Amino acid sequence: MALSKVTWFFMVFGLVYFLESIGGFYMTSAVVFIEKQFQIPSRLSGTMVSAGDFAYIPVVIFTSYFGGKGNRARWIGAGCILISIANFMVASSNFLFPVEKTNVTAHIPATLIHQINRDLILKTPFNSSDHLWLETLQKRIDPMNRVKMTYEGDSAADLLQKFVEYCYYNNGTDICNDLEKGISEKFPVTEAQISNVRAMVALPYGFCNSMLNYVRADHYACKGDHSNLGPFMMIFGGLLVLGVGRTMPFSLGLPLIDDNCKKQNLPLYFSFMFFVKILGPVIGLLVGGQLNKLYYDFNPPQGLTPLDPMWIGCWWLGFLIFGALLFGPSVVLYCFPSDDLDANAPEKLDEKGKPMKRLNLVDRHVKKDAQGNAIMPGTAKEKFKDFTSTISTLIKNKIFVGAMLGRIVDVLAFKGYFVFMGKYLELQFGVPQFKIQRYIASTGIVGFAIGVMLGSFSMRKLKLQGRKAAGWVAICSLVAALISFANGTVGCESVIGQIGNKVKEFGTDFDTCRDDCLCKETPFYPVCDVYGDVYYSPCHAGCLIGWNNYSIFNAEQGKMNIPVFQNCDCVEGRLKEVSRTYCKTDECESQFNRFFMHQALGAIFGGLAVVPGMLIVLRAVPPEHRSVSLGFNGFLVSLLATLPSPIIWGKIIDLSCLVWQKTCDGHGSCSIYDTDELRVRLHLIYGGLRIFSLLSDIWVFIWAKGLKLIEEPDEPPAEEEAEEVPKRKETLQNAAERVERTAHELEQLIDSRGS
């Protein structure tokens, strides 16, 4: 059986709406890695995420006003094409602004090279001149002759190694300069040995070695114009374009569905639409979780795994994938033909000979001419007057204003909290991002989807109208807010939290048992000993470089090689080893699961209020103002909520920062947080805002008496109304004539009886 044009349209529209919703939430899984790759603090990344709202705010009202009077499919298709282009722009920042690769060009001491390549010294034979040179050094280093020197080959090599270790602690003295010169002559440095040192400098962790850390600090010193402004502006610009594009699908899509389905089926259609809108983020987060297992350049540094805080997932690949998938269907929707653009076209019949349902892409509540085109005010002054008159009508609507204010406060609380949820969970529970994204998708968003479906079913089953629906929304919002307070009690001492506690106790100068390690500039790479004690890095644990034939990569967990560092002087006990695998995580894993149990329950109650709340907004205004009401609602929500929310929440998170990473132009991203303070502050503010929004729900409840949401009689299409007007006029005229004749006959009858 051939599908009707209406069916084909809803299939294409549903696909576009689904793909648009995937990319819309994918940014939340990428923002934490964008911060790390380009060293952007949370307050700036929050501003970056809000870029879409900078564009959305001035565009959405005009889009909904003019788009509602035109071919809405074309407007929605054009918007989604812009969203596709925006995804490509965001992904391009990875290629236009690559992170500087390690290329050590500074002078590398020969003693450092031979510390790392120790076997070369031990296997090299020594002749008499070498022995004489060693004896001279011995007298200069040890005038009291406390270390007896032998002239056996192996013993001479061992003694030379001791001299190298001596210069490890006394670098820059005349003795060590002579030693450097002699070693360079005896053991010429090869390119392979220099490459080995470069690889050590590029490792994501640091050893207890002053010369190696000196070379690392010298390499990473600011020698040029390195700034995060370029990638920040590119991503900001892409999200601006995305903000323009996303003004169309929602504000024009809901009225479009309303024009092409029966009123009693609206809750079902809306629930399906919201289900698609929710399924998209689920898919996006699941795909993001898989992509986050990949390193952003597909070549992770040796020993770095997704478990480590410095891991950068392949965030940009998702934007490329979603942008490519969205582009094709958006073009099809842009070119989709409309039945109501040709009012004079002959009526089409289905296989049973019955008239086929017409596809109304132009709002059927607006005035149209004989060709079916919307009648727009002529001059710019008339258009502005009509526009301001519509907005004035909306502002005077008490139910609409109350529902809008409640949504503003809810979005202000939720948007920024959700954007940084992945980062918060990684800090609080020490869980890798790919696992966090799976949990958010499978509990929070799926729970929200279940709530939306149950809310739609409850409306039809309980026949929620007016105050009943408003009371339903208020109760569900209250329960969701109380559950959010409960999550403020769910926390644990993760690895980052334990290091944060040490910072609060001892300050930012991390304590290590050896002052000669020069650990201050080493990367953040938390490790633990077998007893569970946490260290900022292997350097802070006093782990020496190059011993035991470099056998530090001897532990495996699944497919990830997790290094075990040996000979760590700062570890108390017999087994002087540290590794990430030794960190105790049982308590954090159980608390992590408890957090998401609360999250799923809160999401269900939040979803229960979605369909009733949206129908209250839609039914509280006249039909011809629906598109503008949604656009105006979106304008104010963006201006007062979605725009400032990520910026505010980014600043809230930064307030709990204890240690900032340094960049050439100031602070980079934060590496250590006070996780307890962050947990309490985050959930008190979030829950408090949700409670505050209940005031608007009470306002709507007061004024919602008699408001009809469902079971309204179907309104006839505009074309049928136009055809019925002459018939109605003719019927009324005939009735008037009959009444007039009857009255005249009755008057004659009365006169005859009276005579």
Side-chain angles (χ1 to χ4, degrees):
M1 182 179 70
L3 298 176
S4 67
K5 184 182 291 186
V6 176
T7 304
W8 277 113
F9 169 78
F10 275 110
M11 290 174 62
V12 177
F13 175 74
L15 178 61
V16 168
Y17 200 71
F18 171 65
L19 293 174
E20 181 268 335
S21 66
I22 292 179
F25 270 76
Y26 180 74
M27 185 66 186
T28 60
S29 68
V31 65
V32 63
F33 297 120
I34 292 175
E35 285 185 8
K36 294 177 183 179
Q37 180 171 343
F38 300 116
Q39 286 300 300
I40 298 174
S42 293
R43 64 181 183 277
L44 285 183
S45 65
T47 304
M48 184 176 64
V49 171
S50 296
D53 296 296
F54 282 110
Y56 185 92
I57 289 170
V59 173
V60 63
I61 299 182
F62 300 100
T63 296
S64 58
Y65 177 74
F66 293 105
K69 297 179 183 297
N71 186 333
R72 288 173 289 185
R74 177 163 293 181
W75 280 79
I76 296 172
C80 291
I81 290 173
L82 288 177
I83 293 174
S84 175
I85 295 173
N87 284 331
F88 294 137
M89 291 177 63
V90 174
S92 67
S93 61
N94 177 74
F95 308 101
L96 297 177
F97 304 97
V99 177
E100 182 184 4
K101 300 296 182 182
T102 301
N103 183 22
V104 179
T105 57
H107 171 68
I108 302 175
T111 49
L112 171 61
I113 293 175
H114 295 304
Q115 280 184 34
I116 297 176
N117 301 277
R118 183 171 182 264
D119 287 346
L120 179 66
I121 297 177
L122 297 178
K123 295 179 180 179
T124 301
F126 286 77
N127 54 35
S128 57
S129 61
D130 296 328
H131 292 165
L132 181 61
W133 173 59
L134 289 173
E135 186 177 22
T136 303
L137 284 176
Q138 165 71 11
K139 292 179 179 178
R140 295 176 63 186
I141 294 174
D142 186 19
M144 303 299 295
N145 198 26
R146 289 169 295 182
V147 178
K148 299 297 182 180
M149 181 177 176
T150 62
Y151 292 93
E152 299 295 331
D154 291 343
S155 299
D158 289 336
L159 187 59
L160 177 58
Q161 183 60 36
K162 290 180 180 180
F163 293 164
V164 170
E165 292 176 8
Y166 170 82
C167 289
Y168 174 79
Y169 301 105
N170 300 276
N171 189 32
T173 62
D174 292 339
I175 297 174
C176 293
N177 289 337
D178 293 342
L179 179 65
E180 175 86 11
K181 181 179 179 181
I183 289 180
S184 299
E185 294 174 355
K186 177 66 177 178
F187 309 102
V189 177
T190 65
E191 183 60 33
Q193 293 167 354
I194 295 177
S195 297
N196 195 12
V197 175
R198 288 173 176 166
M200 298 296 287
V201 172
L203 287 174
Y205 43 80
F207 293 96
C208 179
N209 186 296
S210 58
M211 283 184 287
L212 179 64
N213 292 331
Y214 176 81
V215 172
R216 181 196 295 272
D218 182 68
H219 164 66
Y220 285 108
C222 296
K223 300 176 181 178
D225 295 328
H226 303 293
S227 174
N228 55 23
L229 181 61
F232 173 83
M233 293 304 299
M234 174 58 69
I235 298 173
F236 188 90
L239 295 178
L240 276 177
V241 176
L242 188 144
V244 174
R246 72 180 179 88
T247 60
M248 289 81 164
F250 183 75
S251 62
L252 300 178
L254 287 178
L256 192 151
I257 290 177
D258 194 19
D259 280 347
N260 290 277
C261 69
K262 296 180 179 180
K263 291 295 177 291
Q264 60 265 32
N265 293 331
L266 264 183
L268 180 62
Y269 276 90
F270 280 4
S271 63
F272 174 76
M273 193 172 180
F274 277 100
F275 178 75
V276 169
K277 194 72 174 176
I278 293 166
L279 181 62
V282 171
I283 301 299
L285 291 174
L286 291 177
V287 172
Q290 290 301 116
L291 295 178
N292 291 342
K293 292 182 179 180
L294 303 174
Y295 199 61
Y296 78 100
D297 64 355
F298 304 110
N299 184 30
Q302 186 181 28
L304 195 67
T305 72
L307 293 173
D308 299 305
M310 294 297 104
W311 178 268
I312 303 175
C314 194
W315 59 271
W316 55 268
L317 185 57
F319 286 105
L320 284 183
I321 294 173
F322 299 139
L325 291 176
L326 180 61
F327 187 79
S330 300
V331 173
V332 174
L333 187 63
Y334 179 82
C335 300
F336 208 92
S338 172
D339 289 332
D340 56 10
L341 294 180
D342 187 5
N344 298 320
E347 194 174 52
K348 297 181 180 179
L349 304 177
D350 61 14
E351 296 176 350
K352 297 181 180 180
K354 295 181 179 181
M356 297 181 66
K357 181 175 176 59
R358 297 179 68 88
L359 177 61
N360 298 300
L361 296 184
V362 177
D363 195 330
R364 60 188 175 89
H365 295 285
V366 302
K367 298 178 181 179
K368 301 178 185 178
D369 57 21
Q371 286 72 38
N373 297 316
I375 300 176
M376 301 285 288
T379 65
K381 183 178 180 180
E382 291 175 343
K383 292 178 181 179
F384 180 77
K385 184 178 180 181
D386 182 61
F387 175 74
T388 54
S389 175
T390 302
I391 297 300
S392 177
T393 302
L394 293 176
I395 294 176
K396 295 175 183 177
N397 189 310
K398 296 179 176 62
I399 298 176
F400 174 78
V401 171
M404 182 175 61
L405 290 177
R407 185 162 183 260
I408 287 173
V409 178
D410 279 338
V411 174
L412 181 66
F414 177 76
K415 177 67 183 292
Y417 178 82
F418 187 80
V419 166
F420 293 105
M421 181 186 290
K423 179 173 184 175
Y424 165 74
L425 294 175
E426 182 181 12
L427 296 172
Q428 185 66 226
F429 302 105
V431 178
Q433 284 294 323
F434 70 86
K435 185 176 180 180
I436 290 171
Q437 304 306 326
R438 286 205 305 262
Y439 269 68
I440 293 176
S442 59
T443 58
I445 296 181
V446 172
F448 188 71
I450 293 172
V452 170
M453 300 299 290
L454 290 177
S456 173
F457 175 78
S458 300
M459 280 207 69
R460 294 176 63 92
K461 191 70 174 177
L462 303 177
K463 298 181 181 180
L464 298 178
Q465 305 277 14
R467 283 185 173 177
K468 286 185 178 180
W472 174 276
V473 172
I475 292 173
C476 292
S477 299
L478 174 62
V479 175
L482 294 177
I483 293 175
S484 67
F485 279 120
N487 264 341
T489 65
V490 181
C492 74
E493 275 206 351
S494 65
V495 173
I496 297 177
Q498 293 179 59
I499 293 177
N501 291 337
K502 288 188 175 182
V503 173
K504 288 188 292 183
E505 184 177 355
F506 301 108
T508 55
D509 293 331
F510 295 102
D511 187 28
T512 181
C513 64
R514 295 178 57 160
D515 297 332
D516 57 294
C517 295
L518 295 183
C519 298
K520 189 173 182 180
E521 303 298 332
T522 54
F524 178 48
Y525 190 92
V527 290
C528 305
D529 58 29
V530 293
Y531 313 103
D533 294 328
V534 181
Y535 302 88
Y536 184 88
S537 74
C539 181
H540 292 80
C543 303
L544 302 178
I545 185 175
W547 308 132
N548 299 328
N549 298 323
Y550 309 106
S551 58
I552 60 174
F553 302 97
N554 58 8
E556 291 191 1
Q557 181 172 326
K559 296 182 179 180
M560 299 182 294
N561 291 323
I562 301 177
V564 176
F565 304 94
Q566 302 168 342
N567 288 325
C568 302
D569 288 349
C570 300
V571 176
E572 297 180 359
R574 185 179 59 84
L575 189 61
K576 294 184 175 296
E577 293 182 350
V578 295
S579 174
R580 186 61 188 266
T581 57
Y582 297 154
C583 296
K584 303 184 185 304
T585 59
D586 294 342
E587 179 191 356
C588 284
E589 288 180 0
S590 63
Q591 293 292 83
F592 180 75
N593 294 331
R594 180 184 165 195
F595 177 93
F596 274 101
M597 287 177 60
H598 292 171
Q599 197 73 7
L601 191 59
I604 291 175
F605 278 95
L608 285 171
V610 167
V611 173
M614 184 52 61
L615 283 175
I616 288 174
V617 174
L618 202 62
R619 289 285 179 259
V621 299
E624 64 271 15
H625 295 161
R626 292 170 309 170
S627 290
V628 180
S629 69
L630 290 174
F632 185 60
N633 186 33
F635 166 77
L636 288 181
V637 168
S638 294
L639 178 65
L640 302 175
T642 55
L643 172 62
S645 180
I647 302 174
I648 294 172
W649 285 98
K651 181 64 176 177
I652 291 171
I653 290 176
D654 281 347
L655 288 175
S656 300
C657 182
L658 296 174
V659 178
W660 292 94
Q661 295 189 62
K662 294 181 179 179
T663 60
C664 297
D665 51 358
H667 287 325
S669 60
C670 182
S671 57
I672 304 296
Y673 290 84
D674 185 340
T675 54
D676 291 334
E677 179 186 274
L678 178 63
R679 168 172 50 81
V680 174
R681 176 183 287 139
L682 221 61
H683 290 94
L684 278 180
I685 296 175
Y686 178 72
L689 288 172
R690 296 297 301 272
I691 291 292
F692 183 73
S693 71
L694 285 175
L695 296 177
S696 63
D697 293 331
I698 296 173
W699 172 270
V700 173
F701 176 81
I702 294 173
W703 294 100
K705 184 178 180 179
L707 181 65
K708 296 292 184 182
L709 304 184
I710 56 177
E711 297 180 354
E712 294 182 356
D714 286 341
E715 301 174 17
E719 296 82 7
E720 294 178 12
E721 290 181 346
E723 294 173 1
E724 287 293 323
V725 168
K727 296 180 181 179
R728 293 173 182 173
K729 287 182 178 180
E730 182 180 357
T731 302
L732 290 173
Q733 186 176 359
N734 293 337
E737 291 175 355
R738 286 196 298 270
V739 169
E740 185 177 355
R741 286 196 301 268
T742 303
H744 181 66
E745 293 172 355
L746 182 61
E747 184 180 358
Q748 290 178 341
L749 179 61
I750 293 173
D751 290 341
S752 64
R753 291 288 178 91
S755 61

